[in-house]
Every structure is written in C-alpha cells, then in structure tokens.
Amino acid sequence: MANELMRFSVAMPEDLLIRFDRLVSRRGLAKNRSEVVRDLVRDALVEEECSMPGIEVMGTLTIIFDHHASDLQEKLHTIQHDYFDNIVSSMHVHVDAHTCLEVIVLRGETGLVQDIANLILGTKGVQNGKLVVTTTGRMA
Ligand code: NI
C-alpha cells in the first residue's frame, strides 16, 4: 500500500513545461518527469516540516573564516562546547594559508538549531556561511 503509485494528471502552461523538461534533462538519464515531480514534492514537504516548531531536524552549517581573525577560533570552539548536546560533529578544512572552512553537523529542535547556527554565523570574523536543514521525521 505504502509504495503503490497513485496517478493524477497535471495541466501546465507550455513555457513552464519546457523549462521543467530542461530541469528533468539536467537531472540525468536516470530521472524522468514523474521522478523529478516526486523529488520536488518531497523537497517541499521537508522544507515545510523543517519550519514547524517542535520537529527534530538535522542541520549542516558550512562556514568560511580567516584563522588569523582575533580569538575567532576560540569563540567558535566555546559555542560548540556550550551546545555539545546539539553539535554532532564538525570538520575543519584548511583551504589555503589564511582561510578555513568548517562543516558543523547539528541536531535538535528546529528553532534551537536555527539559533545555534545564527550564533555561529553572527560571530565576528565568520565571512560566509549557510545552514541546510533536513528533517529526521521525528518530534524533538
Ligand atoms: Ni584551518
């Protein structure tokens, strides 16, 4: 029952369908229109679920910073210890002589994961960053 496919048809303006078919072809030979529509629906559902309070999410926060920036690494380290319950792992990459990249994996209630990410992103010296959130499908 869970994996039974239900059919429905979609009316779409021609220009939108042409653009959609370009997206389908960019996704490669293994994907057809139906599979890409299913992917997009799943993306939308995950995005909506991740914005609801009380849901447990996993987040990956990628940041770029200059390791010469004064006491920045110490501050980032302190934040990660303060939230050790919610920070699953982190990876540090030395990009070049000055620049560091860090990927921090977070887990917890939607709002808390966003708050920790904002704390890190708002730390002086963090040049750029982005949080990507996905759901575990469980309540926090
Ligand atoms: Ni480094």
Side-chain angles (χ1 to χ4, degrees):
M1 180 71 181
N3 290 321
E4 192 182 327
L5 294 177
M6 312 298 282
R7 289 191 176 277
F8 75 105
S9 60
V10 178
M12 212 182 272
E14 190 183 6
D15 61 331
L16 189 58
L17 186 58
I18 289 168
R19 290 168 65 198
F20 177 65
D21 280 341
R22 286 194 203 117
L23 173 70
V24 173
S25 66
R26 281 197 298 274
R27 298 242 167 145
L29 294 173
K31 295 273 177 173
N32 59 31
R33 274 181 181 167
S34 293
E35 278 157 353
V36 174
V37 167
R38 287 194 286 271
D39 288 350
L40 294 174
V41 170
R42 279 189 214 101
D43 281 352
L45 291 171
V46 166
E47 192 177 328
E48 192 199 44
E49 199 174 327
C50 288
S51 68
M52 292 192 284
I55 295 292
E56 186 185 67
V57 294
M58 300 296 300
T60 52
L61 176 65
T62 303
I63 55 170
I64 289 277
F65 58 93
D66 184 337
H67 83 138
H68 295 118
S70 69
D71 68 359
L72 173 59
Q73 290 202 86
E74 180 61 33
K75 283 181 188 159
L76 293 175
H77 205 121
T78 302
I79 294 169
Q80 296 192 45
H81 276 281
D82 286 348
Y83 293 97
F84 66 89
D85 264 348
N86 302 96
I87 291 176
V88 179
S89 181
S90 68
M91 178 177 70
H92 187 105
V93 177
H94 313 299
V95 177
D96 58 29
H98 310 284
T99 308
C100 300
L101 178 145
E102 217 162 280
V103 180
I104 300 160
V105 180
L106 301 121
R107 168 180 221 141
E109 191 269 327
T110 322
L112 181 57
V113 166
Q114 294 279 356
D115 287 349
I116 297 168
N118 286 334
L119 201 59
I120 293 169
L121 289 167
T123 303
K124 193 172 177 232
V126 174
Q127 293 162 345
N128 183 252
K130 190 176 173 66
L131 173 68
V132 175
V133 174
T134 191
T135 178
T136 64
R138 288 204 291 257
M139 296 297 286

